[in-house]
Amino acid sequence: MARAIVYTEFGSPDVLRLIDIPDPEAGDGEVVVRIEAAGVNPIDAKLRGGKRPSPPIAEPRRVGFDGAGVVTAVGEGVSEFSVGDRVAIRDGSGTYATDLAVPASKLALLPDAVTAAEGAAVGIPAGTAFQSLKSLGVSAGDVLLVHAGSGAVGQAAVQFAVAWGATVIATASPARHDLLRGLGAIPVAYGDGLLERVRQAAPSPVTVALDGIGTDEAIEVSTALVADRERIATIVRGPDAAALGIRAFSGGSPEPLTEQELAWRAEAVPATIALIAAGDFAVEIGAELPLAEAARAHELIEAHEARGKIVLVP
């Protein structure tokens, strides 16, 4: 039998359990993937803890959206994937598992130059960063402020924006500044005096800002620096973004993503994988834990103790 992480009630990380499940079968338009790595994202923990809206739990609820592995079965109507193909999963349903049936539309081929852990780390972080910057119209000549620049979404945003010709200022703790410099950003420490530090670091006025941390400081500094509120967005403070006069992309926002924004998120995954394979995009992998230690992974992500992407390995 296959195995999967589930929960039957909202709560702390210890509500997560590893159980046996029937081996998945590939339906029409689906493939079965033997999972080699599952990416752990903050949204996983927020849903499990009841901090983001979700339907009442009527049966054991699966966890995880991102993953990577090898195709073991192909359903009717699938021609683009074959048994044995290495693939990355984006926007899956229950990637914290040993095996998973996935719509073929949610997969991207994974070349040998990209590890399973890297493939599992791409979906939500790269998709969110790519779409957010596209929605904000980031391009050459912009000066972009990224709050939480050393997080998974932040690192992706830095690399995309630099590649597109923007100047990037990214906030992080001083211990993470060398990493950000290596990605092409100008790092600044968050905390008291952030506004003046950003002004001093910026070679010209900041034109666009992306908040990945959700603090009042991040919002206040962004609104003080960026003249056009339509070019300020948060991926964390969705519920109160409208009251703040800024944009929100997910992050609990009542406004759904547009079809174009969803398309950008999908486009980001194969594009990022190609960049990784070419050596033009870096993914920082942190703790790699056994599937049975999913609760520990959620503890780390909730305590903000993880440096790099946490990956579960079945």
Side-chain angles (χ1 to χ4, degrees):
M1 296 186 76
R3 307 193 83 194
I5 294 292
V6 301
Y7 57 96
T8 55
E9 60 181 322
F10 299 116
S12 62
D14 26 348
V15 301
L16 298 175
R17 296 185 294 119
L18 179 62
I19 65 169
D20 292 330
I21 60 171
D23 289 327
E25 297 182 358
D28 290 352
E30 292 184 332
V31 304
V32 174
V33 179
R34 173 67 51 84
I35 304 292
E36 294 182 337
V40 178
N41 291 291
I43 186 61
D44 304 342
K46 290 173 182 176
L47 287 168
R48 182 222 73 233
K51 296 177 181 178
R52 286 288 171 82
S54 62
I57 300 173
E59 59 185 6
R61 182 159 296 172
R62 302 282 295 274
V63 191
F65 299 96
D66 295 341
V70 177
V71 174
T72 57
V74 177
E76 290 291 330
V78 177
S79 59
E80 61 269 47
F81 299 102
S82 302
V83 171
D85 283 346
R86 300 180 68 242
V87 293
I89 303 166
R90 65 161 191 90
D91 197 25
S93 181
T95 55
Y96 291 19
T98 58
D99 303 86
L100 183 67
V102 187
S105 60
K106 305 290 188 180
L107 301 178
L109 286 170
L110 202 61
D112 290 341
V114 182
T115 68
E118 289 171 329
V122 168
I124 286 178
T128 301
F130 187 90
Q131 170 266 307
S132 296
L133 298 187
K134 287 286 190 181
S135 295
L136 290 168
V138 173
S139 62
D142 270 319
V143 177
L144 167 68
L145 173 61
V146 177
H147 296 281
S150 66
V153 174
Q155 289 187 40
V158 166
Q159 292 177 85
F160 288 135
V162 168
W164 299 346
T167 297
V168 182
I169 300 166
T171 69
S173 64
R176 306 284 277 165
H177 284 189
D178 284 347
L179 178 145
L180 288 171
R181 288 189 190 96
L183 299 179
I186 302 168
V188 295
Y190 50 74
D192 291 345
L194 176 61
L195 177 60
E196 288 310 311
R197 286 194 296 279
V198 173
R199 282 182 170 144
Q200 291 171 8
S204 56
V206 176
T207 56
V208 57
L210 179 62
D211 163 47
I213 192 66
T215 61
D216 289 342
E217 173 190 66
I219 304 299
E220 290 164 3
V221 168
S222 297
T223 54
L225 291 170
V226 179
D228 183 357
R229 294 288 180 94
E230 284 295 303
R231 301 202 77 199
I232 304 172
T234 179
I235 60 169
V236 183
R237 294 278 291 271
D240 56 352
L244 295 167
I246 64 175
R247 301 172 73 183
F249 306 126
S250 299
S253 171
E255 294 295 324
L257 296 174
T258 66
E259 287 188 11
Q260 177 61 78
E261 287 167 340
L262 292 171
W264 278 328
R265 291 201 175 194
E267 176 187 344
V269 175
T272 304
I273 288 170
L275 289 171
I276 296 170
D280 295 327
F281 192 99
V283 174
E284 183 187 23
I285 302 299
E288 296 187 48
L289 301 173
L291 183 61
E293 294 185 21
R296 176 59 179 155
H298 279 210
E299 288 170 355
L300 289 170
I301 211 163
E302 289 181 327
H304 304 287
E305 292 178 358
R307 288 193 177 186
K309 186 71 173 180
I310 301 173
V311 174
L312 294 174
V313 181

